[in-house]
Amino acid sequence: MPVSDVTQPSDSRAPAVIELCNVHAGYGRIEALHGIDLVVPAGSVMALLGPNGAGKSTTLKVASGQLVPTSGCFHVLGRHVNGVSSDTLARAGVCTIPEGRGIFPNLTVTENLRMMTFAGASRRDVEERAFSRFPQLAGRRRQVAGTLSGGEQQMLAMARSLSVDPAALLLDEISMGLAPLIVDELYELVAQVSSEGVAILLTEQFAQAALKVADQVALMAQGRIVATGTPDTLPEDLAASYLGGSAAELQSTSDARGAA
Amino acid sequence: MNEFIAFSIIGIVIGATYAVAASGLVVTYATSGVFNIAHGAIGMVMAFVYWQFRVAWNWPAPLALAIVILVIAPLFGAFVERVLIRRVREAPVAVTLVITGALMVFLIGMVNEVWKPKARILPEFFGNAGFHAGSVFVNWAQVITVAAAIAIALGLRLFLYRTRTGVSMRAVVDNQELAGLNGARPARISTYSWALGSMLASIAGILIAPSLQLSVLPLTLLIVDAYAAAMVGRLRNLPLTFVGALGIGLLQSYAQGYMPTSGIWASTPLQGMRLAIPAILLFIILLALPQDKIRGARQMVRRRVAGPASARKTFAGGVILVAAVWVSTGMLSIANVIHLGTGLALALVMLSLVPLTGWGGQVSLCQMTFAGLGAFAMSRLGHGGSPWGLLAAAVLAGVVGGLIALPALRLRGLYLALATLAFAAAMDDMFFPSSTAFGYNGSVNIPRPTFFGIHISTDRSYVIFLAVVFALLSAALLAMRRGPFGRVLSAMKDSEAACATLGLNLTTTKLIVFTLSAAIAGVAGALYGAMVTVAGSTDFLMLQSLPILILVVVLGVATASGALFGGVLFGLLGGEVLLGAGVAGVLLGSNPDGVMPWLYSKIREYRDAIMGRFPGSGVGSGATATGATANGTGAGIGAETGVGVGAGVGVGTAMEMGVGVVDG
Ligand SMILES: Nc1ncnc2c1ncn2[C@@H]1O[C@H](COP(=O)(O)OP(=O)(O)O)[C@@H](O)[C@H]1O
Ligand SMILES: [Mg+2]
């Protein structure tokens, strides 16, 4: 595809934090990824977009160490980490918020926060950062997380990205099922975390929110990256056909971004 | 009133022991996802180790306690988790039950080797000293038991809520994957949970051992009583588990105290009921439990597996089996002929598990109980070897099997297996010891069958007859497996959730396969009884069902030959084979389909190499089944495996045909 080597992000010389080259991976005998190449440098946000079943979550599972590639290589901060377990990567600074709510529903808010201390932060620090960024969680310390609202649950999950000082942040469809206002708030946080130099790889099925913060966009379909670009240069027709939204809609998002 | 208080105190003490045992069970199951059948056996072993330090070497009690409870027991639990459990976490219930079951059988065998059976006394703490509360005497051992339970309840609460390791154990119960993404080490947490579980088992074992005269089986089986308590908390909730344990202890004590002992109440079934109360409660609780949601989320991976053997192969295998038995019985000593015959009869019991477990994916822990019912029917109605006796055996066992299955049908996996276990335990106490079952002296003669006036009397002819029965029965089962019912069965094994969405009615399927399996076990029991000619009240106990399941699963429960070789091995080697069961468990971890399927695939590879073909090209066209595999660790145990249809083209080696027997 000609579009695949269009503009690279401006800070492409920043060190690559997450790097996948020609990665194949799958579930048992079924291959779900057929050769994925992607690089996420420090401080930049890459949005993986594509329809349901395209392989976005699978790509993230490879990048978080939950799924070992069958071939190809996977580097974190330049080190070859094929086969390194997800908990090791987590302690080394790859912070992953999986699809659905990334919380423990039967633990209280404080206990959920305590689970965030495995990556090295102290309990006090974790709580301080989480509660100062999301004051509404502070009032619910002792509440069981499963009884929080959807938005609060996602805030609690996102609190991990604040407290563990990650090198990379992997987010799988964080906007799923949430009200637009809350989605905006979460993406504000994404932008803030990215500005602190964290490499962010995120997926969304519906693009709008993600396009506002993304530096690079990769379109996935059927286990392959079919196009890459920046949100501005993303070819309309491709975007429209893969993302389902009308081209005009996407265009208006890009315009809004350009105006901002 | 005094009496009531005295019984209440006894009940509370019993309940406290159950609580300690059950809490360990809950901690390991909830955290590691593997139900530990060997939990009681671990407590039993630790009680013996404690006896060794305390009595044999005369160490002071606190030191002996500390060594056993704080060092040996946790290390042992951690070791077991590392070596056995870790490999099968994602495996189906049958595999995990077999592996912990193998551990239990192994531990029993090990203790009998190390501490040769003789009377041993483990003194109560502080002898029999105690105090009077009002007019009721309470001894210190009882106080210590209750105090230990309370301390453990508080300690567990503090540990699970106040320490990070404890919190992460609960987090793993919620979502193991996410715990890993948080940087917690799920593997290590699982190890801790087994260490903790083993520690709690050791405390329960040491507390209860003095009143059970440190005898192996009662200590091991104590755990069935604890299962009921753990089930009250749905294997997850510790406070409810403690409440359940207390309730069960009290109920049992009041039953001991207040159930009349005269008239009809003196009969064995009603007397046995007192002992069987926890088992009966376990059964009732299982039935009353709200059912877990159907889990369809486990990664289902299509695996290429061979379909059942063709009719031609089945026939060839059957002929070879009968011929081999014919020839070998002519050469073996009489003692070995009897061993072989016993093995073939046990192979028939194992064959009853092939459609149920191997093809249908349901686990039963009471096949020997059905076999016992069959033997009972034969002894009653098979006078002079009348074939009606065999029919009665099939009908009685089948009907009881159906009745057990009926309420248990909505249960799945582990719960269903535990329901059959509870049934077997209750029958151990209530039916088999009774005078109606196997006579006053506990054993009856069981006649060998007569067909068309021909009485099969000599050992050799009877053994050949057993081989014929095995061949015919497996041929019939395999024909069924190839038909529509067989396909539904294997679909059920693949995924009950998927079947539900397809609108398949699994209730009838389960009922049929359960009844069929029980009926086969019944016939097998009748034939087994006739092989050994006398059957007794202790031949068909719950504990004997376990080795049957273990052996057939290890050898390949989806294959008739797995049952055949399992039975023959058992018959020829006897109890010795069980000591190896622990080792077999390890083997199973890497080879969840069992030995025979593995052997066939090796033979196939070898043959294909010789024939210059691609490996596996002979795999059958009827490959419909899939096995559940998670990251290649465990798999649908005994997913239909068989010798490739390609073998039918005549390339099968004689060797393969020899073992192929009547394979599925
Ligand atoms: N646990 C799984 N087991 C088997 N196949 C899976 C599993 N998860 C995803 N897949 C398959 O992998 C492909 C990619 O899925 P996924 O990465 O979840 O897509 P996306 O996140 O883009 O919707 C799909 O075809 C899906 O069916
Ligand atoms: Mg997804």
Side-chain angles (χ1 to χ4, degrees), chain A residues 52 56-57 99 172-173:
Chain A
N52 202 357
K56 307 180 297 291
S57 296
E99 206 168 355
D172 200 356
E173 303 207 24

Side-chain angles (χ1 to χ4, degrees), chain B residues 588-599:
Chain B
L588 198 66
S590 49
N591 233 330
D593 284 344
V595 172
M596 297 314 291
W598 172 81
L599 203 62

Side-chain angles (χ1 to χ4, degrees), chain A residues 210-241:
Chain A
L211 287 177
K212 289 182 205 163
V213 298
D215 300 302
Q216 309 176 69
V217 179
L219 279 183
M220 284 194 78
Q222 293 170 359
R224 293 195 166 79
I225 293 184
V226 290
T228 59
T230 64
D232 306 299
T233 58
L234 199 66
E236 274 170 44
D237 52 336
L238 261 179
S241 57

